[in-house]
Amino acid sequence: MNNKTDTPVKTDTPVSVIGLGLMGQALAGAFLKAGHPTTVWNRTASKADQLVAEGARLAPTVGDALKPGSLTIICVTDYQAMHELLGASDIELDGTMLINLTSGDSAQAREAAHWAEQRGARYLDGAIMAIPSAIGTAEAVILHSGPQSDFESHKSTLDALGTVTYLGADHGLASLYDVAGLAMMWSVLNAWLQGTALLRTAGVDAATYAPFARQIAAGVAEWLPGHAEQIDSGSFPAEVASLETHARSMDHLIEESEAVGVNAELPKLIKAMADRSIAAGHGGEQYPVLIEEFGKPRRAVP
């Protein structure tokens, strides 16, 4: 991965931003603040008013925002909207550099890359791991995937947006990292909510529990590199605790939740996965052996 560095940012590179929702406006504003000549376009032109007041140029048409050799950021509702905007016969993509920061899945990203390249454009797919107000600061992590030479050619311009990161040549990687990050976020939050619900039954408020929960989360995060080594090697010796030991504690969590009237669906789901792994003969191995359960689809029960 290539992250933001202290390399001076070039501020003379022109940029176009297509799509001026809250995120698109933030992206265009960050380019303007960094000194880049910025062209903007949006289906509802009035959304560009503030940016124009700050120095942006409003393109009369989406095609006018696309210039050979230019860098164009696309941030619209979805991939279908991108194809509708840029797929018209009168839109010329040949020689343009497109960076798509629209949310979607990895298959859509790969298909969009092929589509853009067939029309003569260079293409990077991306994902924004930030809220609009963070754009332009180091807290805004923006992922990119596609040809590394294209990323390196435009990195100094993209640095205006935040901490830009290159993931690899596969155009689908940014989307995959995006959803993998969301899985982490929701899992941590849901685990905290489960624990908070349990402690509230004893009169402990969320603010009191939060520092302890944060300490636990940070401690568990320290296990990840070692667990990753086991997953990558395919060997799961029980160096700390076996999956069977974890399963007994899961039973305790389920029983406690039910006893005090707290929803036990989440721990039951994880316990069911552990039970399947144990039934397959992995009870004496360490917890990351559950990757085998996460790595295969499961049909929903009617």
Side-chain angles (χ1 to χ4, degrees):
M1 295 183 190
N2 291 326
N3 299 323
K4 186 172 181 179
T5 67
D6 295 328
T7 303
V9 176
K10 295 179 181 179
T11 59
D12 58 349
T13 304
V15 180
S16 292
V17 178
I18 295 174
L20 298 176
L22 292 177
M23 186 60 76
Q25 291 179 40
L27 297 171
F31 283 128
L32 283 169
K33 186 175 181 180
H36 292 281
T38 304
T39 297
V40 296
W41 182 89
N42 192 70
R43 204 184 295 272
T44 303
S46 60
K47 289 190 175 182
D49 289 349
Q50 182 59 41
L51 293 166
V52 170
E54 295 171 2
R57 169 185 172 267
L58 176 62
T61 68
V62 66
D64 188 62
L66 296 159
K67 301 294 182 184
S70 68
L71 173 63
T72 300
I73 306 293
I74 309 162
C75 187
V76 291
T77 306
D78 52 31
Y79 280 75
Q80 181 179 344
M82 182 200 74
H83 286 294
E84 290 174 354
L85 288 174
L86 304 185
S89 59
D90 60 336
I91 301 296
E92 180 59 60
L93 296 182
D94 191 34
T96 61
M97 178 70 233
L98 303 179
I99 299 182
N100 188 11
L101 299 181
T102 298
S103 295
D105 62 41
S106 58
Q108 290 175 317
R110 295 179 185 118
E111 290 166 2
H114 178 72
W115 171 84
E117 290 164 359
Q118 288 292 103
R119 299 191 60 185
R122 308 294 299 175
Y123 182 91
L124 289 171
D125 208 84
I128 302 171
M129 311 298 287
I131 58 175
S133 61
I135 298 298
T137 73
E139 284 70 37
V141 175
I142 303 177
L143 310 176
H144 298 82
S145 53
Q148 185 169 7
S149 59
D150 290 334
F151 174 80
E152 296 295 346
S153 294
H154 298 283
K155 182 180 180 299
S156 61
T157 300
L158 296 170
D159 277 341
L161 302 180
T163 301
V164 296
T165 300
Y166 176 73
L167 300 173
D170 178 358
H171 285 94
L173 283 174
S175 292
L176 286 171
Y177 267 79
D178 183 20
V179 292
L182 292 174
M184 284 291 299
M185 177 186 74
W186 289 323
S187 295
V188 171
L189 288 174
N190 289 337
W192 176 69
L193 290 170
Q194 181 83 35
T196 298
L198 282 165
L199 287 167
R200 287 176 67 187
T201 66
V204 179
D205 60 24
T208 300
Y209 172 50
F212 175 79
R214 185 176 181 181
Q215 183 180 21
I216 293 294
V220 171
E222 293 297 316
W223 302 350
L224 299 184
H227 281 7
E229 289 181 8
Q230 289 195 339
I231 291 171
D232 291 341
S233 69
S235 177
F236 306 95
E239 299 167 348
V240 177
S242 69
L243 183 59
E244 287 176 335
T245 299
H246 281 283
R248 286 192 290 272
S249 295
M250 292 175 193
D251 281 331
H252 177 59
L253 172 58
I254 293 167
E255 292 163 3
E256 184 71 54
S257 296
E258 292 179 334
V260 297
V262 167
N263 190 307
E265 289 176 89
L266 181 60
K268 282 183 177 179
L269 173 63
I270 303 303
K271 178 60 164 48
M273 297 177 75
D275 285 343
R276 290 197 298 268
S277 185
I278 291 169
H282 301 297
E285 297 177 271
Q286 193 150 273
Y287 197 85
V289 73
L290 277 181
I291 189 64
E292 304 299 334
E293 291 299 317
F294 280 96
K296 57 189 178 185
R298 193 77 184 172
R299 279 192 286 182
V301 177

